[in-house]
Structures are given as structure tokens and as C-alpha cells.
Amino acid sequence: QVQLVESGGGLVQPGGSLRLSCAASGGIFRLYGIGWYRQAPGKQRELVAIISQSRSTNYADSVKGRFTISRDNARNTVYLQMNSLKPEDTAVYYCNAQRASTREDYWGQGTQVTVSS
């Protein structure tokens, strides 16, 4: 029902910035909470940031103060602005859309972020 496409990943030096985008289609975007997750090789998938229907946000402690999640409902897009990137941020980043009332849960294909000198 809902398709999610991440973009904006790439190779960046430590201390640099990237902005990830998650474009949604096939659903009423404003009804979904959106989360950014990441998974590094050999590590568990972890929640990075979430933004609710009401635009309340939560962040993993490891990214607080460096990452900002936002949403543009008119464009059906969620962004993750990543500043002061560290090698530990290297992972595949996935966006996830959830709608608790209908128990919907959708994932994008992921975008690779590599932080290296």
C-alpha cells in the first residue's frame, strides 16, 4: 500500500553533513509516524529518530544534537539532516512508516551512509 524510497546517502568525511530523504507514495502520508533506522554490519538495527503525526520527535542518544528529523506533508517526504558525522554513523539507513490504528508497517529499501576519511 505504501512505498518508501530513501535517497541522499553516500560517502562523507568525518565532521561532514548529509541530508537523507524518504519519499512516500500510496498512502495518506500525514497519518503515519515515520522513523529512521540504521543497521551496521554485525550490529542490531537501531532506531535513530522518529517523527509523529503531530511532529513530535525523539532521537537516539547517540545522535541527539547532531541529527534532525523533519517532515513535509505537502511533499510526502521526511528528512534526516545529519551533521557532525562520525565513523560510527556508518550504516544502511532505512525509513519506516507506521500507522498504529491499522497496524501498518512499511519499509524502504535503504540508503548507504559511509563516514570515512
Side-chain angles (χ1 to χ4, degrees), residues 16-94:
S17 297
L18 285 173
R19 189 180 74 163
L20 305 184
S21 298
C22 175
S25 61
I28 305 174
F29 181 74
R30 62 179 175 82
L31 300 181
Y32 294 82
I34 308 295
W36 282 99
Y37 294 76
R38 67 187 182 188
Q39 187 164 22
K43 298 188 68 176
Q44 295 181 334
R45 185 192 67 183
E46 64 175 341
L47 177 65
V48 176
I50 55 172
I51 185 164
S52 73
Q53 296 174 245
S54 63
R55 292 188 173 87
S56 64
T57 59
N58 285 286
Y59 298 90
D61 288 342
S62 60
V63 307
K64 284 182 179 177
R66 300 189 296 121
F67 291 10
T68 302
I69 189 170
S70 61
R71 67 191 296 162
D72 186 342
N73 289 342
R75 291 172 170 80
N76 289 355
T77 302
V78 168
Y79 304 98
L80 184 68
Q81 179 67 47
M82 305 187 295
N83 299 325
S84 301
L85 283 161
K86 305 175 180 179
E88 308 94 271
D89 297 318
T90 296
V92 177
Y93 284 70
Y94 300 91

